[in-house]
Amino acid sequence: MIRTRFAPSPTGPLHLGHAYSAIIAHDFAKASGGEFIVRIEDLDQSRVRKKWDSQIFEDLEWLGLSWARPIMRQSERAEAYSNAIDKLYYNQVIYPCYCTRRDISEAIAAPQGGSLILQNPDGIIYPGTCRHKTKTNTRPKDQALRLDVAAAMVAHDLNDLKFIEIVAPGHSKTININKNSNLTDIIGDIVITRRDMAPAYHLAVVIDDMEQNITHVVRGEDLRPSTSIHVVLQRLLGLTTPFYIHHPLINDENGKRLAKRNDAKSISTFRSQGASPLDIRHMIGL
Ligand code: GLU
């Protein structure tokens, strides 16, 4: 059975772009008698607000969507993430990192750092300063932890990573992640958990998609580069890779991507101006 999800972060109002993503995921599952779920990605507690959390469900209901329950909230899943981190640490594919942001920029700026500054979806690729420091047998609980992508490649045979992208109904394409590029250059040693022990979005999302039996991950194409990271983590944790649908983004009239702070395009603003759910569908070309 097809299971899709919409996984918003309650850090602002849902806008047309969210409506587009949620409707596509919802309709895709429902068209084949499948299930659609909503997962609240509220790991970044400093930006999460209760009011946005409840507004999400109000807006989705108003749009005419229905979802399976119970609702999963990432803030309640610390144990599942911690178990996965333990497993990665035990398998020696993550290591503690003591660097500050400043240490990282200085290491990158140093002449021996090389001239090419590589980027991954999180920003600048970590120069590896802490990679070879002595590691303790038990996982340190007060340090950021990073993926040792080179060690992971050796230990888990990650030479032929791919995922299947559904590009149109009944039409799919295999995306080779590292056929022509090296994982150390496209992903690097990403953060798996921060110093305050909050797990990275990348880790939480693969664990939750598996836990919720998501068969098709439907989300914006801005997240396509992150999918490479997710496939790596799925392999390291022994999880199945779902199918992916990365849909185009909804832009504003100036061609710029809609952001959460763009209140003018929020669903609730349109609602208060008298728009109907069908009007919203028309605005986003559905
Ligand atoms: N929580 C993410 C966001 O609101 C979406 C993550 C995903 O769909 O994988 O942008």
Side-chain angles (χ1 to χ4, degrees), residues 5-11 14 18 21 39-42 74 201 205-206 209 217-220 222-223 226-227 230 244 257 260:
R5 54 36 163 215
F6 175 56
S9 300
T11 54
L14 295 190
H18 295 108
S21 203
R39 177 171 68 233
I40 297 295
E41 302 211 324
D42 54 354
Q74 291 189 323
Y201 149 71
V205 83
V206 297
D209 282 338
V217 171
V218 180
R219 60 187 180 194
D222 54 328
L223 286 169
S226 294
T227 301
H230 300 170
Y244 285 88
R257 186 182 151 196
K260 282 234 169 86

Side-chain angles (χ1 to χ4, degrees), residues 65-219:
L65 308 191
S66 57
W67 52 91
R69 286 162 173 88
I71 300 295
M72 178 184 278
R73 284 192 168 70
Q74 291 189 323
S75 56
E76 295 163 4
R77 306 246 317 131
E79 195 181 332
Y81 306 140
S82 182
N83 290 342
I85 295 165
D86 275 344
K87 180 172 173 178
L88 296 174
Y89 194 80
Y90 178 77
N91 289 338
Q92 299 180 5
V93 291
I94 54 176
Y95 61 88
C97 176
Y98 307 91
C99 292
T100 59
R101 274 172 206 273
R102 191 172 165 171
D103 295 334
I104 297 175
S105 17
E106 282 175 5
I108 284 165
Q112 67 273 26
S115 52
L116 196 64
I117 296 182
L118 297 165
Q119 302 258 352
N120 65 17
D122 295 343
I124 289 172
I125 287 193
Y126 179 64
T129 320
C130 293
R131 191 183 302 136
H132 303 294
K133 291 188 178 154
T134 317
K135 298 164 190 77
T136 51
N137 283 338
T138 45
R139 160 161 78 103
K141 299 277 173 171
D142 52 357
Q143 288 303 329
L145 295 164
R146 287 183 178 274
L147 178 69
D148 185 339
V149 76
M153 281 169 72
V154 174
H156 292 264
D157 184 20
L158 303 181
N159 286 319
D160 186 22
L161 289 176
K162 35 179 91 139
F163 65 91
I164 297 175
E165 170 98 41
I166 314 277
V167 284
H171 199 74
S172 64
K173 192 160 102 181
T174 299
I175 309 288
N176 292 299
I177 294 172
N178 55 341
K179 195 171 170 193
N180 301 314
S181 46
N182 200 319
L183 282 187
T184 48
D185 296 343
I186 53 174
I187 291 175
D189 291 1
I190 50 154
V191 170
I192 292 292
T193 170
R194 297 194 318 225
R195 187 168 308 203
D196 63 5
M197 295 317 288
Y201 149 71
H202 303 299
L203 182 80
V205 83
V206 297
I207 294 173
D208 294 345
D209 282 338
M210 184 65 193
E211 175 69 25
Q212 299 195 289
N213 296 315
I214 300 303
T215 58
H216 294 69
V217 171
V218 180
R219 60 187 180 194

